[in-house]
Coordinates of all heavy atoms in Angstrom, one line a residue:
M1 N 26.2 64.7 -29.8 CA 25.8 64.2 -31.0 C 26.0 65.2 -32.2 O 25.6 66.3 -32.0 CB 24.4 63.7 -31.0 CG 24.2 62.3 -30.8 SD 22.5 61.8 -31.3 CE 22.0 61.0 -29.8
P2 N 26.6 64.7 -33.3 CA 26.8 65.7 -34.4 C 25.5 66.1 -35.0 O 24.5 65.3 -35.0 CB 27.7 64.9 -35.4 CG 27.4 63.5 -35.1 CD 27.1 63.4 -33.6
D3 N 25.4 67.3 -35.6 CA 24.3 67.7 -36.3 C 24.3 67.4 -37.8 O 23.3 67.4 -38.5 CB 24.1 69.3 -36.2 CG 23.8 69.7 -34.8 OD1 23.1 68.9 -34.0 OD2 24.2 70.8 -34.4
Q4 N 25.5 67.0 -38.3 CA 25.8 66.7 -39.7 C 26.7 65.5 -39.7 O 27.6 65.3 -38.9 CB 26.5 67.9 -40.4 CG 25.6 69.2 -40.5 CD 24.9 69.2 -41.8 OE1 25.4 68.8 -42.9 NE2 23.7 69.7 -41.8
V5 N 26.5 64.7 -40.8 CA 27.4 63.6 -41.1 C 27.7 63.6 -42.6 O 26.9 64.2 -43.4 CB 27.0 62.2 -40.7 CG1 26.8 62.1 -39.2 CG2 25.7 61.8 -41.3
Q6 N 28.7 63.0 -43.0 CA 29.0 62.7 -44.4 C 28.9 61.2 -44.6 O 29.5 60.5 -43.7 CB 30.3 63.2 -44.9 CG 30.4 64.7 -44.9 CD 31.8 65.2 -45.2 OE1 32.8 64.4 -45.3 NE2 32.0 66.5 -45.4
A7 N 28.3 60.8 -45.6 CA 28.1 59.3 -45.8 C 28.0 58.9 -47.3 O 27.7 59.8 -48.1 CB 26.9 58.8 -45.0
S8 N 28.4 57.7 -47.5 CA 28.2 57.0 -48.8 C 27.3 55.8 -48.6 O 27.2 55.3 -47.4 CB 29.5 56.6 -49.4 OG 30.3 57.7 -49.7
H9 N 26.7 55.4 -49.6 CA 25.8 54.1 -49.5 C 25.8 53.3 -50.7 O 26.1 53.8 -51.8 CB 24.4 54.5 -48.9 CG 23.5 55.0 -50.0 ND1 22.2 54.6 -50.0 CD2 23.7 55.8 -51.0 CE1 21.6 55.2 -51.0 NE2 22.4 55.9 -51.6
I10 N 25.4 52.1 -50.5 CA 25.1 51.2 -51.6 C 23.6 50.8 -51.4 O 23.3 50.4 -50.3 CB 26.0 49.9 -51.6 CG1 27.4 50.3 -51.8 CG2 25.5 48.9 -52.6 CD1 28.4 49.1 -51.4
L11 N 22.8 51.0 -52.4 CA 21.4 50.7 -52.3 C 21.0 49.6 -53.3 O 21.4 49.8 -54.5 CB 20.6 52.0 -52.6 CG 19.1 51.8 -52.9 CD1 18.4 51.2 -51.6 CD2 18.4 53.1 -53.3
L12 N 20.4 48.6 -52.8 CA 19.8 47.6 -53.7 C 18.3 47.6 -53.6 O 17.8 47.3 -52.5 CB 20.4 46.2 -53.3 CG 21.9 46.0 -53.6 CD1 22.2 44.5 -53.3 CD2 22.3 46.4 -55.0
M13 N 17.7 48.0 -54.6 CA 16.2 48.1 -54.7 C 15.7 46.7 -55.1 O 16.5 45.8 -55.6 CB 15.8 49.1 -55.7 CG 16.1 50.5 -55.3 SD 15.6 51.7 -56.6 CE 15.4 53.1 -55.6
Y14 N 14.5 46.5 -54.9 CA 13.8 45.2 -55.4 C 12.5 45.5 -55.9 O 11.9 46.6 -55.7 CB 13.8 44.2 -54.3 CG 13.2 44.7 -52.9 CD1 11.9 44.7 -52.7 CD2 14.1 45.1 -51.9 CE1 11.3 45.2 -51.6 CE2 13.6 45.6 -50.7 CZ 12.2 45.6 -50.6 OH 11.7 46.1 -49.4
A15 N 11.9 44.6 -56.6 CA 10.5 44.8 -57.2 C 9.6 45.1 -56.0 O 9.5 44.4 -55.1 CB 10.1 43.6 -57.9
G16 N 8.9 46.3 -56.1 CA 8.0 46.7 -55.1 C 8.5 47.7 -54.1 O 7.8 48.3 -53.3
S17 N 9.8 47.9 -54.0 CA 10.4 48.9 -53.1 C 10.1 50.3 -53.7 O 9.9 50.4 -54.9 CB 11.9 48.7 -52.8 OG 12.7 48.8 -54.0
E18 N 10.1 51.3 -52.8 CA 9.7 52.7 -53.3 C 10.6 53.2 -54.3 O 11.8 53.0 -54.3 CB 9.8 53.5 -52.0 CG 9.0 54.8 -52.2 CD 8.8 55.6 -50.9 OE1 8.4 54.9 -49.9 OE2 9.0 56.8 -50.8
R19 N 10.0 53.8 -55.4 CA 10.7 54.4 -56.5 C 11.5 53.4 -57.3 O 12.5 53.7 -58.0 CB 11.6 55.5 -56.1 CG 10.8 56.7 -55.5 CD 11.7 57.8 -55.3 NE 11.1 58.8 -54.4 CZ 11.7 59.7 -53.7 NH1 13.0 59.8 -53.7 NH2 11.0 60.6 -52.9
S20 N 11.3 52.1 -57.2 CA 12.1 51.1 -57.8 C 11.7 50.7 -59.2 O 10.5 50.6 -59.5 CB 12.1 49.8 -56.9 OG 12.8 48.8 -57.5
T21 N 12.7 50.5 -60.0 CA 12.5 49.9 -61.3 C 13.2 48.5 -61.4 O 13.3 47.9 -62.4 CB 13.1 50.8 -62.4 OG1 14.5 51.1 -62.2 CG2 12.3 52.1 -62.5
A22 N 13.7 48.1 -60.2 CA 14.4 46.8 -60.2 C 13.5 45.7 -60.4 O 12.3 45.7 -60.0 CB 15.1 46.7 -58.8
T23 N 14.0 44.6 -61.0 CA 13.3 43.4 -61.2 C 13.6 42.3 -60.3 O 12.9 41.3 -60.2 CB 13.4 42.9 -62.7 OG1 14.8 42.7 -62.9 CG2 12.9 43.9 -63.7
R24 N 14.7 42.4 -59.5 CA 15.1 41.4 -58.5 C 14.1 41.3 -57.4 O 13.4 42.3 -57.1 CB 16.5 41.6 -58.0 CG 16.6 42.8 -57.1 CD 18.0 42.9 -56.5 NE 19.0 43.4 -57.4 CZ 19.4 44.7 -57.6 NH1 18.7 45.6 -57.0 NH2 20.3 45.0 -58.4
S25 N 13.9 40.1 -56.8 CA 13.0 39.9 -55.7 C 13.7 40.5 -54.4 O 14.9 40.8 -54.4 CB 12.8 38.4 -55.5 OG 13.9 37.8 -55.0
K26 N 12.9 40.6 -53.4 CA 13.4 41.1 -52.1 C 14.4 40.1 -51.6 O 15.4 40.6 -51.1 CB 12.2 41.3 -51.1 CG 12.6 41.9 -49.8 CD 11.4 42.2 -49.0 CE 11.8 42.9 -47.7 NZ 10.6 43.2 -46.8
D27 N 14.2 38.9 -51.7 CA 15.1 37.8 -51.3 C 16.4 37.9 -52.0 O 17.5 37.8 -51.4 CB 14.5 36.4 -51.4 CG 13.5 36.1 -50.3 OD1 13.4 36.9 -49.3 OD2 12.7 35.2 -50.5
E28 N 16.4 38.1 -53.3 CA 17.6 38.3 -54.2 C 18.4 39.5 -53.7 O 19.6 39.4 -53.6 CB 17.2 38.4 -55.6 CG 16.7 37.1 -56.2 CD 16.1 37.2 -57.6 OE1 15.6 38.3 -58.0 OE2 16.1 36.2 -58.4
A29 N 17.7 40.6 -53.5 CA 18.3 41.8 -53.0 C 19.0 41.6 -51.7 O 20.2 42.0 -51.5 CB 17.4 43.0 -52.9
L30 N 18.4 40.9 -50.8 CA 18.9 40.7 -49.5 C 20.2 39.8 -49.6 O 21.2 40.0 -48.9 CB 17.9 40.0 -48.5 CG 18.4 39.8 -47.1 CD1 18.8 41.1 -46.4 CD2 17.2 39.1 -46.3
T31 N 20.1 38.8 -50.4 CA 21.3 37.9 -50.6 C 22.4 38.7 -51.2 O 23.6 38.6 -50.7 CB 20.9 36.7 -51.5 OG1 19.9 36.0 -50.9 CG2 22.1 35.9 -51.8
L32 N 22.2 39.5 -52.2 CA 23.2 40.3 -52.9 C 23.8 41.3 -51.9 O 25.1 41.5 -51.9 CB 22.7 41.0 -54.1 CG 23.7 41.8 -54.9 CD1 24.9 41.0 -55.3 CD2 23.0 42.3 -56.2
I33 N 23.0 42.0 -51.1 CA 23.6 43.0 -50.2 C 24.4 42.3 -49.1 O 25.4 42.8 -48.7 CB 22.4 43.9 -49.6 CG1 23.1 45.2 -49.1 CG2 21.7 43.2 -48.5 CD1 23.2 46.3 -50.1
G34 N 24.0 41.1 -48.7 CA 24.8 40.3 -47.8 C 26.2 40.0 -48.4 O 27.2 40.0 -47.7
D35 N 26.2 39.6 -49.7 CA 27.4 39.3 -50.4 C 28.3 40.5 -50.5 O 29.5 40.4 -50.3 CB 27.1 38.8 -51.8 CG 26.5 37.4 -51.8 OD1 26.5 36.7 -50.8 OD2 26.0 37.1 -52.9
L36 N 27.7 41.7 -50.7 CA 28.5 42.9 -50.8 C 29.1 43.3 -49.4 O 30.2 43.7 -49.3 CB 27.7 44.1 -51.3 CG 27.2 43.9 -52.8 CD1 26.2 45.0 -53.1 CD2 28.4 43.9 -53.7
K37 N 28.3 43.1 -48.3 CA 28.8 43.3 -47.0 C 30.1 42.4 -46.7 O 31.0 42.9 -46.2 CB 27.7 43.0 -46.0 CG 28.2 43.3 -44.6 CD 27.1 43.4 -43.6 CE 27.5 43.5 -42.1 NZ 28.7 44.4 -41.9
T38 N 30.0 41.1 -47.1 CA 31.1 40.2 -47.0 C 32.3 40.7 -47.8 O 33.4 40.7 -47.2 CB 30.7 38.8 -47.4 OG1 29.6 38.4 -46.6 CG2 31.9 37.9 -47.3
Q39 N 32.1 41.2 -49.0 CA 33.2 41.7 -49.8 C 33.9 42.9 -49.1 O 35.1 43.0 -49.1 CB 32.7 42.1 -51.1 CG 32.4 40.9 -52.0 CD 31.9 41.4 -53.4 OE1 32.6 42.2 -54.1 NE2 30.8 40.8 -53.8
L40 N 33.0 43.8 -48.5 CA 33.6 44.9 -47.7 C 34.4 44.5 -46.5 O 35.5 45.0 -46.3 CB 32.5 45.9 -47.2 CG 31.8 46.7 -48.3 CD1 30.6 47.4 -47.7 CD2 32.8 47.7 -48.9
E41 N 33.9 43.5 -45.8 CA 34.6 43.0 -44.6 C 35.9 42.3 -45.0 O 36.8 42.3 -44.2 CB 33.7 42.0 -43.9 CG 32.5 42.6 -43.2 CD 31.5 41.6 -42.7 OE1 31.5 40.5 -43.1 OE2 30.6 42.1 -41.9
D42 N 36.0 41.8 -46.3 CA 37.2 41.2 -46.8 C 38.1 42.2 -47.4 O 39.1 41.8 -48.1 CB 36.9 40.1 -47.8 CG 36.2 38.8 -47.1 OD1 36.3 38.7 -45.8 OD2 35.6 38.0 -47.8
G43 N 37.8 43.5 -47.3 CA 38.8 44.5 -47.8 C 38.3 45.1 -49.1 O 39.1 45.9 -49.7
G44 N 37.1 44.8 -49.6 CA 36.6 45.4 -50.8 C 36.5 46.9 -50.7 O 36.3 47.5 -49.6
D45 N 36.6 47.6 -51.8 CA 36.6 49.1 -51.8 C 35.1 49.5 -52.0 O 34.4 49.2 -52.9 CB 37.4 49.6 -53.0 CG 37.4 51.1 -53.1 OD1 38.1 51.7 -52.3 OD2 36.6 51.7 -53.8
F46 N 34.7 50.3 -51.0 CA 33.3 50.7 -50.9 C 32.8 51.5 -52.2 O 31.8 51.1 -52.8 CB 33.0 51.6 -49.7 CG 31.6 51.8 -49.3 CD1 31.0 51.0 -48.3 CD2 30.8 52.7 -50.0 CE1 29.7 51.2 -48.0 CE2 29.5 52.9 -49.7 CZ 28.9 52.1 -48.7
A47 N 33.7 52.4 -52.6 CA 33.3 53.2 -53.8 C 33.2 52.4 -55.0 O 32.3 52.5 -55.8 CB 34.3 54.3 -54.0
D48 N 34.1 51.4 -55.2 CA 34.1 50.5 -56.4 C 32.8 49.7 -56.3 O 32.2 49.5 -57.4 CB 35.3 49.6 -56.4 CG 36.6 50.4 -56.8 OD1 36.5 51.6 -57.3 OD2 37.7 49.9 -56.6
L49 N 32.5 49.1 -55.2 CA 31.3 48.3 -55.1 C 30.0 49.1 -55.3 O 29.1 48.6 -56.0 CB 31.2 47.6 -53.7 CG 32.3 46.5 -53.5 CD1 32.2 46.0 -52.0 CD2 32.1 45.4 -54.4
A50 N 30.0 50.4 -54.8 CA 28.8 51.2 -55.1 C 28.7 51.5 -56.6 O 27.6 51.5 -57.1 CB 29.0 52.5 -54.3
K51 N 29.8 51.8 -57.2 CA 29.8 52.1 -58.7 C 29.2 50.9 -59.5 O 28.5 51.1 -60.5 CB 31.2 52.5 -59.2 CG 31.6 53.9 -58.8 CD 33.0 54.2 -59.2 CE 33.5 55.5 -58.7 NZ 34.9 55.8 -59.0
T52 N 29.6 49.8 -59.0 CA 29.2 48.6 -59.8 C 27.8 48.1 -59.5 O 27.1 47.6 -60.3 CB 30.2 47.4 -59.5 OG1 31.5 47.9 -59.8 CG2 29.9 46.2 -60.3
H53 N 27.4 48.2 -58.2 CA 26.2 47.5 -57.8 C 25.0 48.4 -57.3 O 23.9 47.9 -57.3 CB 26.5 46.5 -56.6 CG 27.4 45.5 -57.0 ND1 27.1 44.4 -57.8 CD2 28.8 45.3 -56.8 CE1 28.1 43.6 -58.0 NE2 29.2 44.2 -57.3
S54 N 25.3 49.6 -56.9 CA 24.2 50.4 -56.3 C 23.2 50.9 -57.3 O 23.5 51.2 -58.4 CB 24.8 51.7 -55.6 OG 23.8 52.4 -54.9
D55 N 21.9 50.9 -56.9 CA 20.8 51.3 -57.7 C 20.5 52.8 -57.5 O 19.6 53.3 -58.1 CB 19.5 50.5 -57.4 CG 19.7 49.0 -57.7 OD1 20.3 48.7 -58.7 OD2 19.1 48.2 -57.0
C56 N 21.3 53.5 -56.7 CA 21.1 54.9 -56.5 C 21.9 55.7 -57.5 O 23.0 55.3 -57.8 CB 21.5 55.3 -55.1 SG 21.3 57.0 -54.6
P57 N 21.4 56.8 -58.0 CA 22.2 57.7 -58.8 C 23.6 58.1 -58.2 O 24.5 58.4 -58.9 CB 21.4 58.9 -59.1 CG 20.0 58.5 -58.9 CD 20.0 57.4 -57.8
S58 N 23.7 58.1 -56.9 CA 24.9 58.4 -56.2 C 26.0 57.4 -56.6 O 27.2 57.6 -56.3 CB 24.7 58.5 -54.7 OG 24.5 57.2 -54.2
S59 N 25.6 56.3 -57.2 CA 26.6 55.3 -57.5 C 27.7 55.9 -58.5 O 28.9 55.5 -58.4 CB 26.0 54.1 -58.2 OG 25.4 54.5 -59.5
N60 N 27.3 56.9 -59.3 CA 28.3 57.5 -60.2 C 29.4 58.2 -59.4 O 30.5 58.4 -59.9 CB 27.6 58.6 -61.1 CG 26.6 57.9 -62.0 OD1 26.8 56.8 -62.5 ND2 25.5 58.6 -62.3
D61 N 29.1 58.6 -58.1 CA 30.1 59.2 -57.3 C 30.6 58.2 -56.2 O 31.0 58.7 -55.1 CB 29.5 60.4 -56.6 CG 29.2 61.5 -57.6 OD1 29.9 61.8 -58.5 OD2 28.1 62.2 -57.4
G62 N 30.6 57.0 -56.5 CA 31.1 56.0 -55.5 C 30.1 55.9 -54.3 O 30.5 55.4 -53.3
G63 N 28.9 56.2 -54.5 CA 27.9 56.2 -53.4 C 27.8 57.4 -52.5 O 27.0 57.4 -51.6
S64 N 28.6 58.4 -52.8 CA 28.7 59.5 -51.9 C 27.4 60.3 -51.9 O 26.9 60.7 -52.9 CB 29.8 60.5 -52.3 OG 29.8 61.6 -51.5
L65 N 26.9 60.5 -50.7 CA 25.7 61.4 -50.5 C 26.1 62.8 -50.0 O 25.2 63.6 -49.7 CB 24.8 60.7 -49.5 CG 24.2 59.4 -49.9 CD1 23.5 58.7 -48.8 CD2 23.3 59.5 -51.1
G66 N 27.4 63.0 -49.8 CA 27.8 64.3 -49.3 C 27.5 64.4 -47.8 O 27.3 63.4 -47.1
S67 N 27.3 65.6 -47.4 CA 27.0 65.9 -46.0 C 25.4 66.2 -45.9 O 24.8 66.7 -46.8 CB 27.7 67.2 -45.6 OG 27.5 67.6 -44.3
F68 N 24.9 65.7 -44.7 CA 23.4 65.9 -44.5 C 23.2 66.0 -43.0 O 24.0 65.5 -42.2 CB 22.6 64.8 -45.2 CG 22.9 63.4 -44.8 CD1 22.3 62.8 -43.7 CD2 23.8 62.7 -45.5 CE1 22.6 61.5 -43.3 CE2 24.1 61.4 -45.2 CZ 23.5 60.8 -44.1
G69 N 22.1 66.6 -42.7 CA 21.7 66.8 -41.3 C 20.6 65.9 -40.9 O 20.0 65.2 -41.7
R70 N 20.2 66.0 -39.6 CA 19.2 65.2 -39.1 C 17.8 65.6 -39.8 O 17.6 66.8 -40.1 CB 19.0 65.4 -37.6 CG 20.2 64.8 -36.9 CD 20.1 64.8 -35.4 NE 21.2 64.3 -34.8 CZ 21.5 63.0 -34.6 NH1 20.7 62.1 -35.0 NH2 22.6 62.6 -34.0
G71 N 17.0 64.7 -40.1 CA 15.8 64.9 -40.8 C 15.8 64.9 -42.3 O 14.8 65.0 -43.0
A72 N 17.0 64.8 -42.8 CA 17.2 64.8 -44.3 C 16.9 63.4 -44.9 O 16.6 63.3 -46.1 CB 18.5 65.3 -44.7
M73 N 17.1 62.4 -44.2 CA 17.0 61.0 -44.7 C 15.9 60.3 -43.9 O 15.4 60.7 -42.8 CB 18.3 60.2 -44.4 CG 19.5 60.8 -45.1 SD 19.4 60.8 -46.9 CE 20.8 61.6 -47.4
V74 N 15.4 59.2 -44.4 CA 14.4 58.4 -43.8 C 15.0 57.9 -42.4 O 16.2 57.8 -42.3 CB 13.9 57.2 -44.6 CG1 13.2 57.7 -45.9 CG2 15.0 56.2 -45.0
P75 N 14.1 57.7 -41.4 CA 14.6 57.5 -40.0 C 15.6 56.3 -39.9 O 16.5 56.4 -39.2 CB 13.3 57.2 -39.2 CG 12.2 57.9 -40.0 CD 12.6 57.8 -41.5
E76 N 15.3 55.2 -40.6 CA 16.2 54.0 -40.4 C 17.6 54.4 -41.0 O 18.6 54.0 -40.3 CB 15.6 52.8 -41.2 CG 14.2 52.4 -40.9 CD 13.2 53.1 -41.7 OE1 13.5 54.2 -42.4 OE2 12.0 52.6 -41.8
F77 N 17.6 55.1 -42.1 CA 19.0 55.4 -42.7 C 19.7 56.4 -41.8 O 20.8 56.3 -41.5 CB 18.7 56.0 -44.0 CG 20.0 56.2 -44.8 CD1 20.4 55.3 -45.8 CD2 20.8 57.3 -44.6 CE1 21.5 55.5 -46.5 CE2 21.9 57.5 -45.4 CZ 22.3 56.6 -46.3
E78 N 18.9 57.4 -41.3 CA 19.5 58.5 -40.4 C 20.1 57.8 -39.2 O 21.2 58.1 -38.8 CB 18.5 59.5 -40.1 CG 19.0 60.6 -39.1 CD 18.0 61.6 -38.7 OE1 17.4 62.2 -39.7 OE2 17.7 61.7 -37.5
A79 N 19.3 57.0 -38.5 CA 19.8 56.4 -37.3 C 21.1 55.6 -37.5 O 22.0 55.7 -36.7 CB 18.7 55.4 -36.7
A80 N 21.2 54.8 -38.6 CA 22.4 54.1 -38.8 C 23.6 55.0 -39.1 O 24.6 54.8 -38.6 CB 22.1 53.1 -40.0
A81 N 23.4 56.0 -40.0 CA 24.4 56.9 -40.4 C 25.0 57.7 -39.2 O 26.2 57.8 -39.1 CB 24.0 57.8 -41.5
F82 N 24.1 58.2 -38.4 CA 24.6 59.0 -37.3 C 25.2 58.1 -36.1 O 25.9 58.7 -35.3 CB 23.4 59.9 -36.7 CG 23.3 61.1 -37.5 CD1 22.5 61.2 -38.6 CD2 23.8 62.3 -37.0 CE1 22.4 62.4 -39.3 CE2 23.7 63.5 -37.7 CZ 22.9 63.5 -38.9
S83 N 24.9 56.8 -36.1 CA 25.5 56.0 -35.1 C 26.8 55.5 -35.4 O 27.5 55.0 -34.5 CB 24.5 54.8 -34.8 OG 24.5 53.9 -35.9
L84 N 27.3 55.6 -36.6 CA 28.6 55.0 -37.1 C 29.7 56.0 -36.7 O 29.6 57.2 -36.7 CB 28.6 54.8 -38.6 CG 27.7 53.8 -39.2 CD1 27.7 53.9 -40.7 CD2 28.2 52.4 -38.8
E85 N 30.9 55.4 -36.4 CA 32.1 56.2 -36.3 C 32.6 56.5 -37.7 O 32.3 55.8 -38.7 CB 33.2 55.3 -35.6 CG 32.8 55.0 -34.2 CD 32.9 56.2 -33.2 OE1 33.7 57.1 -33.5 OE2 32.0 56.2 -32.3
T86 N 33.3 57.6 -37.9 CA 33.8 58.0 -39.2 C 34.7 56.8 -39.7 O 35.6 56.3 -38.9 CB 34.6 59.3 -39.1 OG1 33.8 60.3 -38.7 CG2 35.2 59.6 -40.4
G87 N 34.5 56.4 -40.9 CA 35.2 55.3 -41.6 C 34.6 54.0 -41.4 O 35.0 53.0 -42.1
A88 N 33.6 53.8 -40.6 CA 32.9 52.5 -40.3 C 31.8 52.3 -41.3 O 31.2 53.2 -41.9 CB 32.3 52.5 -38.9
N89 N 31.5 51.0 -41.5 CA 30.5 50.5 -42.4 C 29.3 50.0 -41.5 O 29.6 49.4 -40.5 CB 30.9 49.4 -43.4 CG 32.0 49.9 -44.3 OD1 31.9 51.1 -44.7 ND2 32.9 49.1 -44.6
S90 N 28.1 50.2 -42.0 CA 26.9 49.7 -41.3 C 26.7 48.2 -41.6 O 27.2 47.7 -42.5 CB 25.7 50.5 -41.7 OG 25.3 50.1 -43.0
D91 N 25.8 47.6 -40.8 CA 25.2 46.4 -41.1 C 24.2 46.7 -42.2 O 24.0 47.9 -42.6 CB 24.5 45.8 -39.9 CG 25.5 45.2 -38.9 OD1 26.5 44.7 -39.3 OD2 25.1 45.2 -37.7
V92 N 23.5 45.7 -42.7 CA 22.4 46.0 -43.7 C 21.3 46.7 -43.1 O 20.9 46.4 -42.0 CB 21.9 44.6 -44.3 CG1 20.7 44.8 -45.2 CG2 23.0 43.9 -45.0
V93 N 20.9 47.8 -43.7 CA 19.8 48.7 -43.2 C 18.7 48.6 -44.2 O 18.9 48.8 -45.4 CB 20.3 50.1 -43.1 CG1 19.1 51.0 -42.7 CG2 21.4 50.2 -42.1
E94 N 17.5 48.2 -43.8 CA 16.3 48.2 -44.7 C 15.5 49.4 -44.5 O 15.2 49.9 -43.4 CB 15.5 47.0 -44.4 CG 14.3 46.8 -45.3 CD 13.4 45.6 -45.1 OE1 13.7 44.9 -44.1 OE2 12.5 45.3 -45.9
T95 N 15.1 50.1 -45.7 CA 14.2 51.2 -45.7 C 13.2 50.9 -46.8 O 13.3 49.8 -47.4 CB 14.9 52.5 -46.1 OG1 15.3 52.5 -47.5 CG2 16.1 52.8 -45.2
A96 N 12.2 51.8 -47.0 CA 11.2 51.6 -48.0 C 11.8 51.5 -49.4 O 11.2 51.0 -50.3 CB 10.2 52.7 -47.9
F97 N 13.1 52.0 -49.5 CA 13.7 52.1 -50.8 C 14.5 50.8 -51.2 O 14.9 50.6 -52.3 CB 14.7 53.2 -50.9 CG 14.0 54.6 -50.8 CD1 14.0 55.2 -49.6 CD2 13.3 55.2 -51.8 CE1 13.3 56.4 -49.4 CE2 12.6 56.3 -51.7 CZ 12.7 57.0 -50.5
G98 N 14.7 50.0 -50.2 CA 15.4 48.7 -50.4 C 16.5 48.5 -49.2 O 16.3 49.0 -48.1
Y99 N 17.6 47.8 -49.6 CA 18.6 47.5 -48.6 C 19.8 48.4 -48.9 O 20.2 48.5 -50.0 CB 19.0 46.0 -48.7 CG 17.9 45.0 -48.4 CD1 17.3 44.3 -49.3 CD2 17.5 45.0 -47.1 CE1 16.2 43.4 -49.0 CE2 16.4 44.1 -46.7 CZ 15.9 43.3 -47.7 OH 14.8 42.5 -47.3
H100 N 20.4 48.9 -47.8 CA 21.5 49.8 -47.9 C 22.7 49.2 -47.1 O 22.5 48.6 -46.0 CB 21.2 51.1 -47.2 CG 20.0 51.8 -47.7 ND1 20.1 52.9 -48.6 CD2 18.7 51.6 -47.4 CE1 18.8 53.3 -48.8 NE2 18.0 52.5 -48.1
L101 N 23.9 49.5 -47.5 CA 25.1 49.5 -46.7 C 25.6 51.0 -46.7 O 25.6 51.6 -47.7 CB 26.2 48.6 -47.4 CG 25.9 47.1 -47.4 CD1 26.9 46.4 -48.2 CD2 25.8 46.6 -45.9
I102 N 25.9 51.4 -45.5 CA 26.3 52.8 -45.3 C 27.7 52.9 -44.8 O 28.0 52.1 -43.9 CB 25.3 53.5 -44.3 CG1 23.8 53.4 -44.8 CG2 25.7 55.0 -44.1 CD1 22.8 53.7 -43.7
Q103 N 28.4 53.8 -45.3 CA 29.8 54.1 -44.8 C 29.8 55.6 -44.4 O 29.5 56.5 -45.2 CB 30.8 53.9 -45.9 CG 32.3 54.1 -45.4 CD 33.3 53.8 -46.5 OE1 33.4 54.6 -47.4 NE2 34.0 52.7 -46.3
R104 N 30.1 55.8 -43.1 CA 30.3 57.2 -42.7 C 31.6 57.7 -43.1 O 32.7 57.1 -42.7 CB 30.1 57.3 -41.2 CG 30.1 58.7 -40.7 CD 29.6 58.9 -39.3 NE 29.9 60.2 -38.9 CZ 29.6 60.7 -37.6 NH1 29.0 59.8 -36.8 NH2 29.9 61.9 -37.3
T105 N 31.6 58.8 -43.8 CA 32.9 59.3 -44.3 C 33.3 60.6 -43.6 O 34.4 61.1 -43.9 CB 32.8 59.6 -45.9 OG1 31.7 60.4 -46.1 CG2 32.6 58.3 -46.6
G106 N 32.5 61.2 -42.8 CA 32.8 62.4 -42.1 C 31.8 62.8 -41.1 O 30.7 62.2 -41.0

């Protein structure tokens, strides 16, 4: 198992999620993240979708979080990122911050 991965993500926060200023409901966020997953499956560009839709400051960099090790991210996010093959996209991952799509980039 690797000690480090590189990943990008798209985060959709909702009203009440941790550190959120979003006004969308949890259901609205889940619907939108599902739509983004479909766009990725249909060949959409991860970085472009992150720049347009992600609520994380990493959206400015196409969602890139760079390289990180175990223990750096919340457990749900870490488990998903470390389980992906390089170049693969995750299913929807829910954390206290909202809904994520994760792409392992290295």
